[in-house]
Amino acid sequence: MKPDSSMDGRQRKNIQPGIEVAIVLKQHQRSGELTYGVVKDILTNSQYHPHGIKVRLEDGSVGRVKECL
């Protein structure tokens, strides 16, 4: 089942500072372990990225968005 496009972490338009997201950290890409937090900065400049838009969370963690909560 295809996820709802409004929750798609691959589209930059769905992500703004202050929203809660689930990201995969670089060191967890193989396991797919999710880290939850609030977006501080958006690091990807393009409108779309196939693996998820890269963000920095308020705690300093950097990873790619898998879902917006």
Side-chain angles (χ1 to χ4, degrees), residues 16-52:
Q16 295 110 17
I19 68 165
E20 193 172 342
V21 295
I23 66 169
V24 173
L25 302 174
K26 181 83 173 166
Q27 63 266 33
H28 295 147
Q29 283 176 349
R30 286 180 181 268
S31 68
E33 181 184 329
L34 295 177
T35 301
Y36 296 88
V38 176
V39 175
K40 181 178 180 188
D41 301 305
I42 301 173
L43 304 178
T44 299
N45 288 321
S46 64
Q47 293 304 308
Y48 176 84
H49 192 285
H51 299 123

